[in-house]
Amino acid sequence: MADVLKRTHMCGELRKEDGGKKVVLNGWVSKRRNLGGLIFCDLRDKTGITQIVFDDSVPEEVFNKADSVRSEFVIGICGTVRERESKNPQMDTGDIEVLADRITVYSEAETPPIYVKDDDNVDDNLKLKYRYLDLRKKSVQDSLSFRHRICNIVRNYFDEQGFTEVETPMLVRSTPEGARDFLVPSRVHPGSFYALPQSPQLYKQLLMAGGTDRYYQIVKCFRDEDLRADRQPEFTQIDLEMSFVEEDDVISVQEGLMKKIFSELMGKDLETPFPRLTYREAMERFGSDKPDIRFGFELKKLNDIFADTQFKVFSSVLETGGDIRGICIEGGADKFSRKEIDKLTEAIKSYKARGMVWMKIGDEISSSVNKFFSQEKLRQVSEVFGGKNGDLILIVADRPQVVFDSLGFLRREIAQRMGLLRDDDYRFLWVVDFPLFEYDEDEGRYKAMHHPFTSPASEDVDKIKEEPDKVRARAYDIVLNGVELGGGSIRIHDMDLQARMFEALGMEQDEIEEKFGFLLEAFRYGVPPHGGLAYGLDRLVMLLAHKASIRDVIAFPKNQAAQCMVSDAPGEVRDEQLDELGIGVKSNLQEK
């Protein structure tokens, strides 16, 4: 067994000022080149790469051992730092090299199935299968280190603000609400199941009932739902709750946290307070409840202009209570060809839009509906947007939600194509006054937009029974560049109001007891007014590290099929294990 050479420096630390120092480095061989009497070896660890040189001044045994190493061998070297003759400005350590006089090989390596370099072009599933090799890349290690630093700032900040970090259970009661639960069978209680928590919501409210006053934790959460770039079946939240507070108290603490993170990590001084938009204003202006405000292209309503139209596409929408809205792309007329506009029209069909009208503003307005409308009518539309020659107007007519979704997508997609989404432009805002309820057309009933413990606005309480669609929630989301970083609310702490909320949701007493009985029991013994918020830590790190997916900032993420490619989970288990749990697997499920 090779002795461990006691490291003096990391591979990415040495600079020209270290010339003449005797150093010991440990790491992985990135590449090796034998030029006859000289062997060059690039040695890598999580901080970077240093070039190591072996020449004929070293003992033959050392030279031969250096010649035997290959990519991904794990070695240690001892040597002297010197200035390089041929400097490499692409490397942080490109001004120096280490002339080695000793080498030890800790372990050999077979040829790796993927390249261990940042600019590789490898299938994602292959990367995830060999994630431990992918982790050796400096870019991946930098992301993990960046995540670690954010977590440290979070913990230090909340400690300064008087919060207590408390761990809540991982094995909880199943209270289906929103996404599907992951179930865990109990061996001790055959036929009974735990669930993995979708969030610590109920327990953090119990902590408030227990007098903890200010709680937080960085916690794993689990949801059995379809995946996409910013979703994983297991993800991490920064979760918190506060007693005796109102919205402004919670929001102020969170703005302080963001200000601290950006100051210490990004070198930016955020201006607070962040702007606030009501849910309705966000939808009306941007078509989204998580709007990106780095650019314009705001929505305008055109119902009045087309109120008397004979154009069937528009008139039928208005007759059924729909909307006609559009966005104006400044200078877009020359930037988007007819073919590109057709592709955008096709793209919004995924949002259930049936089509799109376009107008290019000039001395004469050219449009996809020229034969249906006069130049005067089209000019009226242009005036709503303050349109100028060279602008492009895109219009969608449909049910309000379809219009919002379609135009919300279009404004961001077009901004992306026009290069308006700068990574270093961080625009925070709060979205407030969400609806308390949303109507589920499939189930034919109202559901809580957030959860059934969200408090209604005090002036809307009397509308809960007769006009549920007009009740506003004391809820708030923090949004950064079109991404919802976190959301929360002031909770209901009055038992009578809670009962009215359950009644409005059409919940029977036995269902209430089954799902939330233990929380309501605790509330019978006195609970303070309280509210909180939960951030998506993975999303926050993804945004600030400028990554495309949260998979890039998680050590061992699942793939799009919710599989761990490293361990091949989920997998089958032995019949003996199932027997112990009193569980059988249906044959048709096994076939699937």
Side-chain angles (χ1 to χ4, degrees), residues 459-479:
E459 56 268 37
D460 293 346
V461 169
D462 291 338
K463 301 174 185 175
I464 289 177
K465 186 172 183 179
E466 301 298 333
E467 298 177 291
D469 57 316
K470 296 182 180 179
V471 181
R472 293 166 298 160
R474 298 180 66 182
Y476 35 80
D477 282 358
I478 184 169
V479 178

Side-chain angles (χ1 to χ4, degrees), residues 211-280:
T212 306
D213 193 68
R214 289 189 167 197
Y215 137 92
Y216 87 96
Q217 69 174 320
I218 299 175
V219 58
K220 280 286 188 184
C221 301
F222 306 85
R223 292 177 188 171
D224 187 6
E225 57 187 352
D226 296 333
L227 306 188
R228 60 189 185 208
D230 59 350
R231 279 186 180 171
Q232 284 276 293
E234 54 179 320
F235 56 97
T236 306
Q237 283 186 353
I238 304 171
D239 196 61
L240 61 106
E241 198 79 6
M242 305 165 65
S243 290
F244 305 107
V245 292
E246 296 184 332
E247 290 91 329
D248 287 349
D249 301 306
V250 180
I251 286 173
S252 176
V253 169
Q254 307 324 308
E255 289 179 346
L257 173 62
M258 290 299 112
K259 195 172 178 70
K260 188 175 182 69
I261 288 173
F262 272 74
S263 174
E264 295 191 15
L265 279 186
M266 315 299 290
K268 291 184 177 291
D269 184 17
L270 295 179
E271 184 177 340
T272 55
F274 301 154
R276 299 187 195 183
L277 291 177
T278 66
Y279 170 84
R280 178 47 52 189

Side-chain angles (χ1 to χ4, degrees), residues 532-544:
L533 181 140
Y535 293 96
L537 174 63
D538 311 298
R539 289 185 189 180
L540 177 62
V541 178
M542 175 187 75
L543 274 181
L544 301 194

Side-chain angles (χ1 to χ4, degrees), residues 18-293:
D18 297 305
K21 286 184 180 178
K22 196 75 171 178
V23 298
V24 174
L25 303 178
N26 289 315
W28 285 260
V29 175
S30 179
K31 61 182 178 182
R32 179 199 59 84
R33 307 174 301 285
N34 188 334
L35 303 184
L38 285 175
I39 295 174
F40 291 94
C41 174
D42 286 353
L43 192 63
R44 180 191 67 241
D45 62 21
K46 74 173 188 176
T47 64
I49 291 175
T50 293
Q51 178 172 282
I52 312 300
V53 183
F54 297 86
D55 63 15
D56 55 11
S57 66
V58 301
E60 183 178 359
E61 177 188 354
V62 173
F63 193 89
N64 290 339
K65 183 175 287 190
D67 190 37
S68 72
V69 304
R70 297 293 183 269
S71 292
E72 303 312 312
F73 276 35
V74 184
I75 68 171
I77 65 95
C78 180
T80 304
V81 181
R82 69 181 186 185
E83 189 171 352
R84 283 174 65 162
E85 291 184 9
S86 299
K87 296 179 172 56
N88 185 349
Q90 304 302 316
M91 292 172 58
D92 292 337
T93 59
D95 288 340
I96 60 94
E97 61 191 10
V98 175
L99 180 62
D101 54 42
R102 184 179 172 190
I103 181 174
T104 185
V105 176
Y106 300 123
S107 64
E108 299 182 356
E110 298 178 8
T111 301
I114 66 172
Y115 291 112
V116 182
K117 58 180 184 178
D118 287 332
D119 59 348
D120 66 346
N121 186 21
V122 179
D123 175 75
D124 282 345
N125 275 335
L126 196 60
K127 279 185 182 180
L128 294 180
K129 179 175 176 61
Y130 296 100
R131 181 63 167 171
Y132 43 85
L133 296 178
D134 198 47
L135 284 168
R136 295 179 187 176
K137 299 172 185 174
K138 186 176 185 301
S139 62
V140 182
Q141 286 296 327
D142 285 349
S143 293
L144 296 183
S145 296
F146 188 77
R147 182 186 180 113
H148 160 74
R149 292 171 67 194
I150 287 180
C151 290
N152 265 353
I153 292 171
V154 167
R155 286 193 165 94
N156 291 335
Y157 175 79
F158 282 131
D159 183 59
E160 293 166 1
Q161 297 296 316
F163 284 74
T164 303
E165 183 175 7
V166 182
E167 294 179 355
T168 52
M170 285 289 105
L171 296 175
V172 301
R173 184 178 180 83
S174 178
T175 56
E177 193 70 30
R180 287 180 295 272
D181 284 331
F182 282 103
L183 299 178
V184 180
S186 170
R187 178 186 60 81
V188 179
H189 304 281
S192 296
F193 293 82
Y194 301 102
L196 299 179
Q198 294 188 28
S199 79
Q201 181 63 46
L202 301 185
Y203 282 99
K204 68 180 181 181
Q205 290 189 251
L206 287 173
L207 286 168
M208 298 302 100
T212 306
D213 193 68
R214 289 189 167 197
Y215 137 92
Y216 87 96
Q217 69 174 320
I218 299 175
V219 58
K220 280 286 188 184
C221 301
F222 306 85
R223 292 177 188 171
D224 187 6
E225 57 187 352
D226 296 333
L227 306 188
R228 60 189 185 208
D230 59 350
R231 279 186 180 171
Q232 284 276 293
E234 54 179 320
F235 56 97
T236 306
Q237 283 186 353
I238 304 171
D239 196 61
L240 61 106
E241 198 79 6
M242 305 165 65
S243 290
F244 305 107
V245 292
E246 296 184 332
E247 290 91 329
D248 287 349
D249 301 306
V250 180
I251 286 173
S252 176
V253 169
Q254 307 324 308
E255 289 179 346
L257 173 62
M258 290 299 112
K259 195 172 178 70
K260 188 175 182 69
I261 288 173
F262 272 74
S263 174
E264 295 191 15
L265 279 186
M266 315 299 290
K268 291 184 177 291
D269 184 17
L270 295 179
E271 184 177 340
T272 55
F274 301 154
R276 299 187 195 183
L277 291 177
T278 66
Y279 170 84
R280 178 47 52 189
E281 185 181 2
M283 298 301 292
E284 294 277 345
R285 291 176 57 188
F286 303 103
S288 171
D289 60 1
K290 45 182 182 295
D292 193 330
I293 58 174

